[in-house]
Amino acid sequence: AQSVTQLDSHVSVSEGTPVLLRCNYSSSYSPSLFWYVQHPNKGLQLLLKYTSAATLVKGINGFEAEFKKSETSFHLTKPSAHMSDAAEYFCVVTGANNLFFGTGTRLTVIP
Amino acid sequence: DGGITQSPKYLFRKEGQNVTLSCEQNLNHDAMYWYRQDPGQGLRLIYYSQIVNDFQKGDIAEGYSVSREKKESFPLTVTSAQKNPTAFYLCASSIIGGRVFSNQPQHFGDGTRLSIL
């Protein structure tokens, strides 16, 4: 069965410092994994996806994520946070008949 | 610009009333989806459709209905049977990459926020 756990409901960083948003997944086969970002009262926007090619995936706005099968993790990182990065982030894993969404991590960026 | 348009942005439902949320896409995607988002929770699938005139129930279909008469349109009706309709509703579409929930990312509209009067 598939599931996804976002380990932090809220992360707070200072502008210009690194961002780490953690995601662990469970899957009975090789899944596809996604990170989406949601700004207030908006839909979800795709940041990046992993589909069994390179384990280090680069996305938009300077974000990247590394797929680690041994740790069943897909953490999202960015070297330097910007004020515009403040939003809700969702880790998503594919299942046979559904997508499994994490409960989200709210990122706050302190000026 | 291609995308997904949801309307209205805000909607209020009276007791015993059915309301319909609109979703239109011009991305030429075959698959369309409806999700419900509640605070502190991930998105939950209500219904999805792979092709015109066909749709399948998701995890929380009770109290909702859909139609897919055109490829571009996938309206969602929240019926009076849905006792807790207050939520943010998101429509999405995607290419079907072999199967519906594949490695093809979904594209989302900006949502409709439904509240009870």
Side-chain angles (χ1 to χ4, degrees), chain A:
Chain A
Q2 279 68 246
S3 68
V4 59
T5 303
Q6 292 184 242
L7 298 168
D8 306 292
S9 59
H10 189 199
V11 170
S12 185
V13 300
S14 295
E15 189 176 18
T17 64
V19 176
L20 170 64
L21 305 182
R22 298 182 295 164
C23 173
N24 286 354
Y25 71 93
S26 169
S27 178
S28 53
Y29 60 91
S30 295
S32 293
L33 291 149
F34 307 86
W35 274 100
Y36 285 87
V37 61
Q38 184 181 33
H39 289 91
N41 293 311
K42 293 289 189 182
L44 279 65
Q45 179 187 14
L46 179 70
L47 281 177
L48 49 81
K49 69 174 184 179
Y50 167 77
T51 58
S52 75
T55 57
L56 183 62
V57 182
K58 293 189 183 298
I60 62 171
N61 300 335
F63 285 95
E64 63 181 37
E66 186 171 8
F67 175 75
K68 291 187 176 180
K69 187 174 181 178
S70 60
E71 299 176 11
T72 60
S73 69
F74 190 56
H75 301 336
L76 181 71
T77 60
K78 182 173 180 177
S80 176
H82 191 272
M83 294 299 295
S84 61
D85 295 327
E88 186 101 19
Y89 292 79
F90 291 94
C91 182
V92 182
V93 62
T94 53
N97 296 302
N98 207 337
L99 293 182
F100 293 86
F101 289 79
T103 53
T105 298
R106 180 165 300 279
L107 176 65
T108 299
V109 182
I110 303 167

Side-chain angles (χ1 to χ4, degrees), chain B residues 44-57:
Chain B
R44 292 182 290 168
L45 182 65
I46 305 173
Y47 270 97
Y48 66 98
S49 168
Q50 302 178 65
I51 195 169
V52 173
N53 293 324
D54 187 46
F55 46 82
Q56 284 76 41
K57 293 182 179 180

Side-chain angles (χ1 to χ4, degrees), chain B residues 88-100:
Chain B
F88 191 50
Y89 291 87
L90 287 162
C91 178
S93 71
S94 76
I95 295 168
I96 297 179
R99 54 186 177 88
V100 178

